[in-house]
Structure formats: structure tokens, C-alpha cells
Coordinates of all heavy atoms in Angstrom, one line a residue:
G23 N -26.0 -3.9 25.5 CA -26.9 -3.1 26.4 C -28.3 -3.0 25.8 O -29.0 -2.1 26.2
I24 N -28.7 -4.0 25.0 CA -30.0 -3.9 24.4 C -30.9 -5.0 25.0 O -30.6 -6.2 25.0 CB -29.9 -4.2 22.8 CG1 -29.1 -3.2 22.1 CG2 -31.3 -4.3 22.2 CD1 -28.9 -3.4 20.7
D25 N -31.9 -4.5 25.8 CA -32.8 -5.5 26.5 C -34.2 -5.3 26.0 O -34.5 -4.5 25.1 CB -32.6 -5.4 28.0 CG -33.0 -3.9 28.5 OD1 -33.7 -3.2 27.8 OD2 -32.5 -3.6 29.6
E26 N -35.1 -5.9 26.7 CA -36.5 -5.9 26.2 C -37.2 -4.5 26.3 O -38.3 -4.3 25.7 CB -37.4 -6.9 27.0 CG -37.0 -8.4 26.8 CD -37.2 -8.8 25.3 OE1 -38.0 -8.2 24.6 OE2 -36.6 -9.8 24.9
T27 N -36.5 -3.6 27.0 CA -37.1 -2.2 27.1 C -36.6 -1.4 25.9 O -37.0 -0.2 25.8 CB -36.6 -1.5 28.4 OG1 -35.2 -1.4 28.4 CG2 -37.0 -2.4 29.6
A28 N -35.7 -1.9 25.0 CA -35.2 -1.1 23.9 C -36.3 -0.7 23.0 O -37.2 -1.4 22.7 CB -34.1 -1.9 23.2
E29 N -36.1 0.5 22.4 CA -37.0 1.1 21.4 C -36.2 1.4 20.2 O -35.0 1.7 20.2 CB -37.7 2.3 22.0 CG -38.6 2.0 23.2 CD -39.3 3.3 23.7 OE1 -39.1 4.3 23.1 OE2 -40.1 3.1 24.6
S30 N -36.9 1.5 19.1 CA -36.3 1.8 17.8 C -36.2 3.3 17.7 O -36.9 4.1 18.3 CB -37.2 1.3 16.6 OG -37.2 -0.1 16.6
S31 N -35.3 3.8 16.9 CA -35.1 5.2 16.6 C -34.7 5.3 15.1 O -34.5 4.4 14.4 CB -34.0 5.8 17.5 OG -32.8 5.3 17.1
D32 N -34.6 6.6 14.7 CA -34.2 6.8 13.3 C -32.8 6.3 13.0 O -32.5 5.9 11.9 CB -34.2 8.3 12.9 CG -35.7 8.9 12.9 OD1 -36.6 8.0 12.7 OD2 -35.8 10.1 13.0
A33 N -32.0 6.2 14.0 CA -30.6 5.8 13.8 C -30.5 4.2 13.9 O -29.4 3.7 13.6 CB -29.7 6.4 14.9
G34 N -31.5 3.5 14.3 CA -31.4 2.1 14.4 C -32.7 1.5 15.0 O -33.3 2.0 15.9
S35 N -33.1 0.4 14.4 CA -34.3 -0.2 14.8 C -34.1 -1.6 15.3 O -33.2 -2.3 14.9 CB -35.3 -0.4 13.6 OG -35.5 0.9 13.0
V36 N -34.8 -2.0 16.4 CA -34.8 -3.3 16.9 C -36.1 -4.0 16.5 O -37.2 -3.4 16.4 CB -34.6 -3.3 18.5 CG1 -33.3 -2.8 18.8 CG2 -35.7 -2.5 19.1
H37 N -36.0 -5.3 16.2 CA -37.2 -6.0 15.8 C -37.6 -7.0 16.8 O -36.8 -7.5 17.6 CB -36.8 -6.8 14.5 CG -36.5 -5.8 13.3 ND1 -37.3 -5.6 12.3 CD2 -35.4 -5.1 13.1 CE1 -36.7 -4.7 11.4 NE2 -35.5 -4.4 11.9
R38 N -38.9 -7.4 16.8 CA -39.5 -8.3 17.8 C -40.2 -9.4 17.1 O -40.7 -9.3 16.0 CB -40.4 -7.5 18.7 CG -39.7 -6.4 19.5 CD -40.7 -5.6 20.4 NE -39.9 -4.6 21.1 CZ -39.3 -4.8 22.3 NH1 -39.3 -6.0 22.8 NH2 -38.7 -3.8 22.9
D39 N -40.3 -10.5 17.8 CA -41.1 -11.7 17.4 C -42.5 -11.3 17.3 O -43.1 -10.8 18.3 CB -40.9 -12.9 18.3 CG -41.6 -14.1 17.8 OD1 -42.8 -14.2 18.2 OD2 -41.0 -14.9 17.2
P40 N -43.2 -11.5 16.2 CA -44.6 -11.0 16.0 C -45.5 -11.7 17.0 O -46.6 -11.2 17.2 CB -44.9 -11.4 14.6 CG -43.9 -12.4 14.1 CD -42.7 -12.1 14.9
T41 N -45.2 -12.9 17.5 CA -46.1 -13.7 18.4 C -45.9 -13.3 19.8 O -46.8 -13.0 20.5 CB -45.9 -15.2 18.2 OG1 -46.1 -15.5 16.8 CG2 -46.9 -16.0 19.1
T42 N -44.6 -13.3 20.2 CA -44.3 -13.1 21.7 C -44.0 -11.7 22.0 O -44.1 -11.3 23.2 CB -43.1 -14.0 22.1 OG1 -41.9 -13.5 21.4 CG2 -43.4 -15.4 21.7
G43 N -43.6 -10.9 21.0 CA -43.2 -9.5 21.2 C -41.8 -9.3 21.8 O -41.4 -8.2 22.1
R44 N -41.1 -10.5 22.0 CA -39.7 -10.4 22.5 C -38.8 -10.0 21.4 O -39.0 -10.2 20.2 CB -39.3 -11.7 23.1 CG -40.2 -12.1 24.3 CD -39.6 -13.4 24.9 NE -38.3 -13.3 25.4 CZ -37.4 -14.2 25.7 NH1 -37.8 -15.5 25.4 NH2 -36.2 -14.0 26.1
L45 N -37.6 -9.4 21.8 CA -36.6 -9.1 20.8 C -36.1 -10.3 20.1 O -35.8 -11.3 20.7 CB -35.4 -8.4 21.5 CG -35.6 -7.0 22.1 CD1 -34.3 -6.6 22.8 CD2 -36.0 -6.0 21.0
N46 N -36.1 -10.3 18.7 CA -35.7 -11.5 18.0 C -34.2 -11.4 17.6 O -33.7 -12.3 16.9 CB -36.6 -11.7 16.8 CG -36.5 -10.6 15.8 OD1 -35.7 -9.7 15.9 ND2 -37.4 -10.6 14.8
G47 N -33.5 -10.3 18.0 CA -32.1 -10.2 17.7 C -31.8 -9.4 16.4 O -30.6 -9.1 16.2
I48 N -32.7 -9.1 15.6 CA -32.5 -8.4 14.3 C -32.5 -6.9 14.6 O -33.4 -6.4 15.3 CB -33.5 -8.8 13.3 CG1 -33.5 -10.3 13.0 CG2 -33.3 -7.9 12.0 CD1 -34.6 -10.7 12.0
V49 N -31.4 -6.3 14.2 CA -31.2 -4.8 14.4 C -31.0 -4.2 13.0 O -30.2 -4.8 12.2 CB -30.0 -4.6 15.3 CG1 -29.8 -3.1 15.5 CG2 -30.3 -5.2 16.7
S50 N -31.6 -3.1 12.7 CA -31.5 -2.5 11.4 C -30.9 -1.1 11.6 O -31.1 -0.4 12.6 CB -32.9 -2.3 10.7 OG -33.4 -3.6 10.5
G51 N -30.2 -0.6 10.5 CA -29.7 0.7 10.5 C -28.4 0.9 11.3 O -27.8 -0.1 11.7
N52 N -27.9 2.1 11.5 CA -26.7 2.4 12.2 C -26.9 2.5 13.7 O -27.0 3.6 14.3 CB -26.0 3.7 11.7 CG -25.7 3.6 10.2 OD1 -25.2 2.6 9.8 ND2 -26.0 4.6 9.5
H53 N -27.1 1.4 14.4 CA -27.5 1.4 15.8 C -26.2 1.7 16.6 O -25.2 0.9 16.6 CB -28.0 0.0 16.2 CG -28.8 0.1 17.4 ND1 -28.2 0.2 18.7 CD2 -30.2 0.0 17.7 CE1 -29.2 0.2 19.6 NE2 -30.4 0.1 19.0
A54 N -26.3 2.8 17.3 CA -25.1 3.3 18.0 C -24.6 2.3 19.1 O -23.4 2.1 19.3 CB -25.4 4.6 18.7
Q55 N -25.5 1.6 19.8 CA -25.1 0.7 20.8 C -24.3 -0.5 20.3 O -23.4 -1.0 20.9 CB -26.3 0.3 21.7 CG -26.8 1.3 22.6 CD -28.1 0.9 23.2 OE1 -29.2 1.3 22.8 NE2 -28.1 0.1 24.3
V56 N -24.8 -1.0 19.1 CA -24.1 -2.1 18.5 C -22.7 -1.7 18.0 O -21.7 -2.4 18.2 CB -25.0 -2.6 17.3 CG1 -24.2 -3.7 16.6 CG2 -26.3 -3.1 17.8
A57 N -22.7 -0.5 17.3 CA -21.4 -0.1 16.8 C -20.4 0.1 18.0 O -19.2 -0.1 17.8 CB -21.6 1.2 16.1
A58 N -20.8 0.6 19.1 CA -19.9 0.9 20.2 C -19.5 -0.4 20.9 O -18.4 -0.4 21.5 CB -20.6 1.8 21.2
A59 N -20.3 -1.4 20.9 CA -20.0 -2.6 21.7 C -19.1 -3.6 21.0 O -18.4 -4.4 21.7 CB -21.3 -3.3 22.2
I60 N -19.2 -3.7 19.7 CA -18.4 -4.7 19.0 C -16.9 -4.2 18.9 O -16.6 -3.2 18.4 CB -19.0 -4.9 17.6 CG1 -20.4 -5.4 17.7 CG2 -18.1 -5.9 16.8 CD1 -21.1 -5.5 16.3
P61 N -16.0 -5.0 19.5 CA -14.6 -4.6 19.5 C -14.0 -4.8 18.1 O -14.4 -5.6 17.3 CB -14.0 -5.7 20.4 CG -14.9 -6.9 20.3 CD -16.3 -6.4 20.1
P62 N -13.0 -3.9 17.8 CA -12.3 -4.1 16.5 C -11.5 -5.4 16.5 O -11.2 -6.0 17.5 CB -11.4 -2.9 16.5 CG -11.1 -2.5 17.9 CD -12.4 -2.9 18.6
L63 N -11.2 -5.8 15.3 CA -10.4 -7.0 15.1 C -9.0 -6.7 15.7 O -8.5 -5.6 15.7 CB -10.3 -7.4 13.7 CG -11.5 -7.9 13.0 CD1 -11.2 -8.1 11.5 CD2 -12.0 -9.2 13.6
A64 N -8.3 -7.7 16.2 CA -7.0 -7.6 16.7 C -6.1 -7.2 15.5 O -6.4 -7.5 14.3 CB -6.5 -8.9 17.3

């Protein structure tokens, strides 16, 4: 659920391409949306 409107917070940061400003896929910290979306191993 992370799209181009996403913003960084103390709990997790999203990074952007310095030229285009688009999300480059790098996420830092304990990002709640990432933790919630990744399923546990079988």
C-alpha cells in the first residue's frame, strides 16, 4: 500500500530517486505497512 503519495515518518522512511522524485523502493526503519504486508513463511 505504498504509492507515490507516501511520506516518511519516525517509524519508517521511504526514499525517492533524486532526479525524478519517484519512489525508488528503498524503505528504512520499522515501516508498519511493510511489516504488515509481508506474509510469514509457511
Side-chain angles (χ1 to χ4, degrees):
I24 300 175
D25 59 24
E26 294 297 340
T27 66
E29 297 182 356
S30 297
S31 69
D32 289 340
S35 302
V36 293
H37 298 252
R38 297 179 181 274
D39 182 274
T41 302
T42 66
R44 296 184 64 197
L45 293 177
N46 62 11
I48 300 174
V49 179
S50 303
N52 298 317
H53 200 288
Q55 287 172 260
V56 175
I60 299 177
L63 292 175

